[in-house]
Structures are given as structure tokens and as C-alpha cells.
Amino acid sequence: MGDKHLLKSRLCLCLIILAHLLHATAEEPTLQTRGENEKQSDETLLQSDETLEHHQRVKRGWVWNQFFVLEEYTGSEPLYVGKLHSDMDRGDGSIKYILSGEGAGTMFTIDDNTGDIHAIQRLDREVKAQYILRAQALQRRTGMPLEPESEFIVKIQDINDNEPQFLDGPYTASVPEMSVIGTSVLQLTATDADDPTYGNSARVVYSILHGQPYFSVEPRTGIIRVTLPNMDREAKEHYEVIIQAKDMGGQLGGLAGTTTVNITLSDVNDNPPRFAQKLYQMSVPESSPVGSIVGRVRAKDLDEGINAEMRYTIIDGDGRDTFDISTDPTNQVGIITIRKPLDFEGKKSYTLKVEGANTQLDHRFLRMGPFSDVTIIHISVEDVDEPPQFDSKFYYVEVPEDVAIGTIFQTVSAKDLDVSNNSVRYSIERNSDPGRFFYIDIISGALMTARPLDREEVSWHNITVMAMEMNNPTQIGSVSVTVKVIDVNDNPPELEKYYEAFVCENTKAGQLIQTVTAVDLDDPLGGQHFYYSLAPEAANNPNFTLRDNQDNTAWIVTRRGGFSQQQWSIYYLPILISDGEQPVQSSTSTLTIRVCSCDTEGNVMSCTAEAYTLPVSLSRGALIAILACIFVLLVMILLILTLRSQRKKPYLTDAEENVHENIVRYDDEGGGEQDTEAFDIAAMWNPRESQVVKFRQDMVPEIESLSRYVPQNYMGDSNVHGYVLAKLYEADVDPCAPPYDSLQTYAYEGEGSVADSLSSLQSVTTNIDHDYDYLSDWGPRFKKLSDMYGVSEMDNALW
């Protein structure tokens, strides 16, 4: 900074000396222009003489020129600018010079006697390059102007006092990696506030101070270019370059400014992807559902953005149909998922050959490829304790609706694939059989009917059978059993609706009075076919006959004419309808036929016989009186019956001193108050009244639990089992059965129980109730007991 100020001081001193030299020679240009000024003054005076003839003509004598002043003068004395002079000035002080215009009085002053102009403040060309001033000469004594006001310019001469500046710095730029030498990166422009038209103060030259040998800058244009080939972004991505701009054409003494350019190498696809491992080990449980994620693999790519985008595919291996692979676009990872269900018992391991390849290729760098990589993935299937599997995905069975209770119509079978000798227990899911129509044997899986089936009530049953592992009760498998109830001809045909026909009094014989149709709840394969006839008791009916049309309809035809409402107003005709299936079902329906009076065209006018039954002499008032008497008589009879019923004696009087006791039924052993249900013993004294008034209140047993009470050795005998189920159903549907205490039979304990039998009965006749194989795991001290009570592999083979 000290050298800079010293340089400025010396420059200012040189300028001051130059200014004095110019001031010394200023008189010559003033004399040169005097003639022109005098000519202008004469023209002005001539114009004045035309208007003011008594004035004396004055010759103008202004002397001036354009003034120049150096900027940034730092001297202690005012800086001399120039001199104003009029040829009318005789040097006696009678003329006064005044100055006006830009900066007059503040920036510039004038000596009113001599006309010398001085700058009293430091001038800066970069702030204002020139000033426009006006000068005038006045008569000092009178203040009258001697000359018209004239204008002149003071120009500020430039010195090199401003260094070049980068107004937009610091700069940021990017260039692709691997660019060739000479690739343009950025063009910089430095601005110098000095006058570009005067000297070399604003002539700028660029140079690089930091950033070699990677980059260079052109001295005159400021363009930054690459100077090092094959720059790798993966090796170094960011560069800091410092550029200098110096004025005076870069010569000694010029001022300089610097800026920083941050250059980043942009990525190109010049790196192929590579897997970190050539072999990956993965495992997945066999119970994983389809679509579950097995694992992830990633081919690492040093590039970024679209140049690192990957696509993963399975190109080979025995698991191509079992697994899929997809690409996660967020982190370019290959996600392996399950495509088909896994089965440890079927296949325990799979091998995949996976390829990871770039999706965007740059043909300039294909020589660095191939831009893909391959790895091997070994997937192990882990065994999982699965629920029992049925031998069929679903069961479909057809059962006639007249099948007897207890009939076995289907046997389901399930087994545990994990343990070969693990037994399963069967049951029916309650919600799938709300009507309790079916029962399943807990051990054999035999499905049988527990209630009568009725196709007309429920034609399809969709029940769910469950199989539970004995060793792990949490593992439960299920299968759907669809039962179609096959139709049996067990419903007789009936008239489609209630028919009420009419016959006119003037009807002739052979007249059709009604067409009847029938319906049947059954649905035979060949379609319905009904047969119509009159009931045997009406076979010789003299009034009407029936004609079967053989199209499931029949006609009712009159056999005579001359019907009369007075003689007989209503006829009842029994019709026998039967179907054509085996066993043949038939029913008798009654057709009501009214005799009506009709007009000549056969339209019904009246079907009542009131006009014929009333006596001619009986008036309407007498008829009303008779009806009123009948109503009063009926009211009295009802009142007498009510009084007699209130005085009726009970079946059990207090005199008989019978104690009303309660019969209490216990649902299970050890129950308390919550297990009791009281009954009134009075119902037992009069079973007929209890049959009408009150039904029994016993609880319906659960069909699914019958196997706990029925002896297991009877399961194979369908006759005995069916008999038990039939009796149970008969007791359930009988609303008049007297109260009974529950009878629980324990014919056998422990079969199907996880804890085995709790009874010591028959324990001496079998060797399989207890398992002592665990004694062999207790060490040599228990070896003797293990040999005595343990079961050998040969014994197991016999079973």
C-alpha cells in the first residue's frame, strides 16, 4: 500500500508540472481566438445599434478555450485550471469576472480581478468527467455586463487510479470429466473504471495464479480452458482456480484484481458396475408368502446420476421360475422376491445367476466396458412347522336328502409334512355349520350326518374341516367341504294358490269355469309332471268334472246346467294331484265354487243368497232387533264361563300338603349355583298341561363333542353310531320330553388327549400308555431303566 501511495504522489507531481507548462502557453491560443471573438462582439453591437442609436458601439474582447484538469489532485494549494480575460480589461480593476454553472463556488472559484480559475476540491473523473460553466465580465462600479454571458467546459483528465474488478465473482463452472485439451470452461470479463480512450489505464490482461496444470486462461479474452487430458471425476471432482486481471496492458505499475473460479467435473459413464461378491448366500422360511423379499444385491458403480442407473435380471439358475428380481430406483439395489410358494419338503435350495447392467451407455467410453457384471446367489429354504395338509385342496360330495342320521358320506385325510408319525385331530369349524347338520370323527376324519337333510330348506352346505397337530395345537390346517343335497321325491304337489271359482246360474253343461295349476318343492331331473283327478269321494260328482290337459294344468268343467243360489250357493270340489316320480307323492286340495247370478253375457252380478233366504214379511228393523238379542246372549255366556274358570280348583290343593320340590340338573361335576336349572314339580303331576303350557328347558348338546362321550371302539360300527345320533336328535327335537338329569358316561379316558390317560384302569394290559424314551437322555446312571422301560426301534416298527 505504501508503494501505491508513493506512485500516486509522484504521478500527481508530474501532472502538476505539466499543468503549469500548459498554463504558460495558454496565452497563445487565447490570442489566436481573439479575432473570432472580436468579430462576434462587433455583430452583437451592430444589432444593439439598431435599437439603441444613442449607445456607443463596444467591441467584444472575451478570451477563453476548453480547460483540462487532472483528477485526484492531492496538493495543499488550489489547483490552477485556467484564465478568463476580456480585451476590455485595462488592468485597472474596473472589470469584475463572475463564474456560474456546474460546481461554481463549490468545486471551482474565480479571481474576479484577474479571471484565474482554480479547483478547490479533489476531482474524480469516475464520478464526473466534465463540468459546464458560464463566465461573464461586469462593470465593477455599476455592475452592468460588459459582455454577454459565455459557456465553456472543464474536462477531467484520467489517471490510472482504478484496478480491474470482476463484478460477478466468485464464479462457478463445470466441465465433463475426460474432456480433451482446449475444452472451454468459462469466459471471464473484468471491468476497469478508468478511461478506455486515454492511455492504457483500462487495457486489461488476464493470467492464472492458481489452478495449473489443469486449466489455463487466454490473456486477452479471459476464456478458461482445460490443459490436462483425462481428468477423472472419481479421482478429484472439485478444483479452485484463481484468475488475475491487470491493467496498463500487464506492464509494470499496472493495477490488478483477482477472482476465484470453482470448477466441478461433471460425471460421464466411464466406470462399469461391479458386484462386491461373486457369491451371495441367502435364506428364506418356506412359509413366506408370495411377494416377500428374500434379500438385496447391489452392483457398485462409481458414476452417479443416470450414469449409475442399473437394471437387474435373472439370466440363469434353477430358481428362475420361483424368484423375481426388481430394481429399486432410489438406491439402485436389486430386490429378490418370491414368485411361487416355497416348500422345504419339495426343494431345499435354489441357485440364481443375476446380472447388473447400466441402462445409460456413453459410446465414447465403450472401450472401458463391458458395463455389466454377473454374480451367483444361493438361496436356502428354511423348514417351518406347517399346519397339517389335506390330501385335497377341497372336497365336493353329493348326499341324498333322505340319508339316515349317522351315515358316513365322506372321509377327509390330513397329515403333518414336518413329522411323519405326528397324529392329527379333526373338527368342524362352528360358524361354517350353524345348523349342526354334520359331525366328524375326531380321529378318522369320517364325515357323517347329525340331523336330517332337507334340500328344500338348504340345498348346499359349505363346511370347513380343521385338522390340528397333536404335538403343536397351534398348527391348524383347514379345508372346504362342499356338500350338495340331492333331491328326493319327498314333497307332494299342491295347487299353486288358493283358487275360488264361480259358476253362473244359467251355465250350461260342459262349461269351463276354472283352470288350475300345481307346484312341487321337489326338482326332478326330467322336470315336473303332474296328474290331476277328482278325489275318490268326488269321482261321481254330478255337478262338476275335471279334465287333465297333460301339460301340468287341469280344467274344471260343469256336468250340468241350472244351478241355483237358493238351492245351493257353494260347492266344494276335492282335487287329487300326484307327481310322476318314485316314490309317488300326492295331495288333495279343495276348490271352492260359488254360484252367482250373471247377466246374459256371463258377467257376475251377485254371489250372495240373502235375497232368497229372508222371509218376505220380515222387515229390516226386526232383523236388527234379532241380531241385538243374539249379541247380548253371547256376552252373558262369556261372562258365566269366565266366572266359573276363576273358581276352578287347582290340581294340587293345600289340604294334600304336597311339598313343591325342585329337581336340579348339574351340567358337570363340581358345579355351583351357575350350573343349576330349577323345574317346577307341578308339571310332573299334570304332564298333559305341561305339554301345552311349558316346554322343557334343557340345553342342546354340542354335536362336535359327541366323540368324547361315545365309546371310541364303536366308531367303526356305523349302525351303533347312527343309532346313538338318531336318539340324540330325537331327544333334541322333542319339546314335550320330561326334564332329565344329564348322564355322563366315561367309557374311556385319555384317547386323543395331549396328557394321555389320567386313569390307572387297564394300565397293566398295555405298554404304550407311557413313553420312557427320555430316560436315555439322562446319562449312564439311567441306562438300566432306559433298557427296561424304553421302546426300541424294532418295537415301533411293529406298529
Side-chain angles (χ1 to χ4, degrees), residues 171 483 511 529 613:
Y171 298 88
V483 180
Q511 182 71 38
H529 186 74
T613 56

Side-chain angles (χ1 to χ4, degrees), residues 605-622:
M605 299 177 58
S606 174
C607 293
T608 175
E610 178 182 357
Y612 300 97
T613 56
L614 291 177
V616 178
S617 61
L618 187 62
S619 64
R620 187 176 299 276

Side-chain angles (χ1 to χ4, degrees), residues 679 683-684 687 690 696-698 734-741:
F679 295 87
M684 300 183 65
S690 64
R696 65 170 195 169
Q697 301 178 2
D698 60 309
D734 185 5
C736 302
Y740 66 92
D741 196 2

Side-chain angles (χ1 to χ4, degrees), residues 13 46 193 215 221 277 346 392 415 448 461 503 602 611 630-631 665 724 743:
L13 180 60
L46 288 174
F215 302 96
T221 62
Q277 301 174 213
S392 179
K415 61 182 178 179
M448 58 192 73
H461 296 269
V503 60
I630 294 174
F631 176 76
R665 177 175 60 84
V724 174
L743 176 63

